[in-house]
DNA sequence: AGCGTTGTCGTCAGCGATGACGTTATCGTT
DNA sequence: AACGATAACGTCATCGCTGACGACAACGCT
């Protein structure tokens, strides 16, 4: 049903190949012929099929972006960085949301790749090198964010100083006199969670506080998880006077829970978040948190991917983005 | 470089067509042959090329979702509804972000369609029937959200009672005694803005208040726009005692601005938002707003698109989603 | 024995485009 | 006048896969 090159060629009275040349601006074409073809294209409303083209060129000028939760403002901001940069470089971006399901993370990459996208940026929850290599061809570069996989050709890395950030936060709480510091830690498996827990331990150790496993609770990563997690943790360990949260959403949930429990924040329970999403300065109390330059992470990831696309085979060192503690009202 | 059917066929000692039959589970195949093919597929790590398949079948089991701002929680929640429902129906979803650029809205749909996606859901800012028909073939169904285009085969509609919502909000403010009610109204052109302005006028009229054009300010749709818009509007019209905002993000900006200007909310300036995003109950003061069931909108849109896909040529009536005023602290 | 049926495959063309290479006319050069 | 270079096209095979159709053996039935 769609208009094909054949029809354009017919109407313009030239060969299909000539139409292709005009469309792709390649080879030598006389002005007259070009004009005729252009008119035919316009008349018929012809649009080249990217699918057919992709079949032979193996390029689509489209990249994929895969992450776990579109409703997470942290990821939105990262995405903004990716999108702006990609648009500048004339790449289309297709976004896939995995909903945090490991299975789905794999499916998303597969699907994108099977659609012949040129490369992908993944904010992995469960991705590991093994299955990425299984799915992606060496000439399909992948950039991983917040992940400690060793770089190799076709694999790019953008990491955040998450461990340091967690240490800064916990150290701050400890210096304020808190000795019983709980942590609401997101899921169990993902590397970014593990790193933040590591930083939490670093912070405790730095202040001579013994790490207690039972003060770390793995909940989800959304507001509700923070709410439920806080209720649970404070019920089991009322001695907790401060909470370090995996992210600001959890911190918001924690604040809600404290309000409900009659615990004043920060006096009865100090709360520190992570990411510094836009909303964390607006809630009450404003959240003390670890700032991450999310847009920059996206920008770097996108740039790196484009570099890899233009420069196949090259191997790039990881990019590491720094963090900073922002003190507000909640701790 | 990727493994093709040919290689699988070679290794299994059968024809390409037979491999195709196994992969697609069609036709009669003996168990023995199927087994051999399956083993070859597994050995070689073969994955069918969706591109090649799409070229001939014109189906990819993938739909597109197009909207303006991935960082807008309203859209995230709608997306969640779309994604869950589509996943249930075994459709992959590719999301495109237009950044609110009219040009880009067109490009996104074109790109998706040229990749042979089966259909698309658009949260249009500038889309109109003309160019949608120009771009989409009749057999590529499109569902439009919050848009007043007349339904026709291939075009589905999900609308929200936006005008009513705005009326409810403004009526509430007027009944509280406010006579100088300003509006921060997002962009100029989009239909959803126009409808909310209409509702704003309805609300005024209902209470015998004259509409004044200069009290309506077109700003952007993000927090910063609300901040700037409020400063500007209150500077020019200090008599304003209440602000109706196009969405909750703007309302948040308005609250920030009021704090900065030393205006107490709601005493010195009442503020009502729209959408009831999750964060609006968390900020301080909690935002009085018009509740919209965002997830449901996404769910309905996705369902409708799937229906249209399975039922080509049918014509569906628009779905209209109701709204509700939620009273909190800001007004 | 002859014939239709059914189960299992294979052949061939074509989806819409592009890359590699071939062809033709024209022109300048020695 | 003969020849190579160049501009401006055209031909053909191919990308990986599927639909339409055909082939052939085994089987049952009259």
């Amino acid at each position: 049903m769609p208009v094909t090159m054949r029809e354009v060629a017919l109407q313009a009275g030239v060969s299909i190949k000539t139409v292709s040349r005009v469309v792709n601006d390649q080879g030598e074409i006389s002005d007259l012929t070009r004009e005729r073809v252009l008119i035919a294209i316009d008349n018929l409303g012809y649009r080249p099929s990217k699918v057919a083209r992709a079949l032979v060129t193996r390029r689509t000028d489209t990249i994929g972006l895969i992450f776990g939760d579109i409703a997470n403002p942290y990821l939105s901001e990262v995405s903004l960085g990716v999108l702006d940069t990609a648009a500048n470089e004339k790449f289309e971006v297709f976004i896939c949301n995995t909903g945090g399901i490991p299975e789905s993370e794999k499916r998303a990459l597969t699907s994108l790749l099977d659609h012949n996208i040129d490369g992908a940026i993944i904010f992995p929850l469960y991705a590991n090198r093994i299955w990425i290599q299984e799915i992606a061809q060496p000439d399909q570069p992948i950039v991983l964010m917040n992940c400690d996989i060793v770089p190799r050709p076709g694999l790019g890395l953008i990491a955040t100083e998450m461990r340091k950030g967690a240490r800064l936060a916990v150290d701050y709480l400890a210096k304020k006199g808190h000795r019983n510091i709980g942590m609401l830690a997101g899921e169990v498996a993902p590397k970014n969670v593990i790193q933040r827990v590591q930083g939490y331990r670093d912070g405790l150790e730095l202040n001579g506080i013994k790490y207690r496993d039972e003060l770390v609770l793995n909940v989800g990563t959304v507001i509700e998880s923070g709410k439920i997690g806080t209720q649970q943790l404070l019920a089991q360990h009322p001695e907790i006077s401060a909470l370090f949260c995996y992210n600001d959403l959890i911190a918001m949930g924690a604040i809600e829970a404290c309000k409900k429990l009659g615990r004043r924040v920060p006096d009865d329970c100090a709360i520190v978040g992570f990411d510094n999403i836009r909303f964390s300065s607006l809630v009450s109390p404003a959240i003390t948190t670890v700032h991450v330059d999310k847009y920059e992470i996206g920008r770097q990831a996108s740039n790196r991917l484009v570099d890899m696309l233009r420069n196949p085979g090259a191997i790039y060192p990881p990019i590491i983005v720094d963090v900073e503690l922002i003190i507000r009202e909640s701790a």
Side-chain angles (χ1 to χ4, degrees), chain A:
Chain A
M1 191 54 96
V3 183
T4 81
M5 264 195 181
R6 162 178 283 109
E7 301 165 47
V8 175
L10 234 57
Q11 194 174 103
V14 298
S15 77
I16 294 185
K17 182 67 211 187
T18 301
V19 176
S20 167
R21 286 203 181 93
V22 171
V23 169
N24 292 32
D25 230 349
Q26 61 179 209
E28 317 278 343
I29 305 258
S30 72
D31 288 346
L32 192 136
T33 307
R34 186 198 320 281
E35 199 51 34
R36 282 224 310 269
V37 171
L38 253 18
I39 288 175
I41 286 180
D42 205 58
N43 276 348
L44 272 48
Y46 165 78
R47 281 199 337 256
S49 153
K50 296 202 188 192
V51 173
R53 177 181 294 166
L55 192 57
V56 34
T57 63
R58 301 181 178 294
R59 292 219 46 179
T60 53
D61 292 324
T62 304
I63 62 178
L65 173 59
I66 301 175
F67 52 57
D69 179 15
I70 192 176
N72 185 329
Y74 169 85
L75 293 169
S76 310
E77 271 197 64
V78 172
S79 303
L80 250 28
V82 171
L83 292 164
D84 286 352
T85 311
N88 280 344
E89 305 282 347
K90 309 289 174 210
F91 278 89
E92 218 59 52
V93 180
F94 288 167
I95 302 175
C96 279
N97 187 283
T98 67
I101 305 163
E103 210 356 61
S104 166
E105 196 167 325
K106 216 158 171 169
R107 236 203 343 266
L109 182 58
T110 308
S111 174
L112 247 8
L113 255 21
D114 290 348
H115 273 273
N116 263 11
I117 57 151
D118 298 341
I121 299 173
I122 309 180
F123 198 99
L125 257 20
Y126 306 97
N128 60 55
R129 193 173 39 186
I130 311 287
W131 73 248
I132 287 187
Q133 278 179 232
E134 238 171 54
I135 297 177
Q137 301 291 327
D139 61 335
Q140 301 179 305
I142 308 283
V143 171
L144 266 0
M145 293 189 276
N146 288 3
C147 196
D148 58 358
I149 287 178
V150 191
R152 38 181 302 286
L155 222 53
L157 252 46
I158 316 285
T160 311
E161 292 272 22
M162 287 183 295
R163 183 166 174 177
K164 172 183 165 189
R167 177 168 50 77
L168 288 178
V170 174
D171 185 52
Y172 170 76
L173 288 171
K175 292 284 191 293
K176 276 222 158 184
H178 295 283
R179 303 258 95 196
N180 297 297
I181 304 174
M183 176 168 181
L184 294 170
E187 312 293 341
V188 182
K191 282 290 189 293
N192 8 17
V193 176
I194 295 174
Q195 287 193 25
R196 290 184 205 191
V197 173
Q198 270 294 348
Y200 162 78
R201 299 184 70 150
D202 292 350
L204 292 180
E205 197 175 330
L206 218 58
N207 291 275
I209 303 174
K210 206 171 93 242
Y211 169 79
R212 290 163 59 197
D213 211 37
E214 69 272 23
L215 293 193
V216 177
L217 189 61
N218 285 108
V219 289
T221 54
V222 298
I223 297 181
E224 304 312 322
S225 343
K227 205 165 164 182
I228 297 170
T230 302
Q231 288 173 336
Q232 199 175 320
L233 204 55
L234 290 186
Q236 284 165 8
H237 300 279
E239 76 273 19
I240 286 177
S241 70
L243 240 28
F244 170 55
C245 303
Y246 169 76
N247 68 18
D248 289 343
L249 293 178
I250 295 178
M252 287 180 192
I255 290 175
E256 274 201 317
C258 283
K259 277 184 187 160
K260 205 169 151 193
L261 295 171
R263 287 237 199 178
R264 288 166 307 159
V265 180
D267 298 338
D268 299 336
C269 183
I271 292 176
V272 179
F274 207 110
D275 291 346
N276 192 26
I277 60 177
R278 182 64 175 90
F279 300 103
S280 51
S281 64
L282 299 176
V283 300
S284 172
I287 298 176
T288 293
T289 187
V290 179
H291 172 77
V292 182
D293 193 340
K294 300 157 286 294
Y295 187 91
E296 175 67 9
I297 291 178
R299 202 182 63 77
Q300 296 260 24
S302 203
N303 267 336
R304 175 57 39 104
L305 185 62
V306 172
D307 276 356
M308 294 170 72
L309 245 18
R310 303 212 209 283
N311 220 322
I315 181 162
Y316 295 88
I319 298 173
I320 303 198
V321 179
D322 204 10
V323 298
E324 185 188 352
L325 185 67
I326 307 269
I327 296 168
R328 296 208 181 93
E329 301 165 2
S330 72

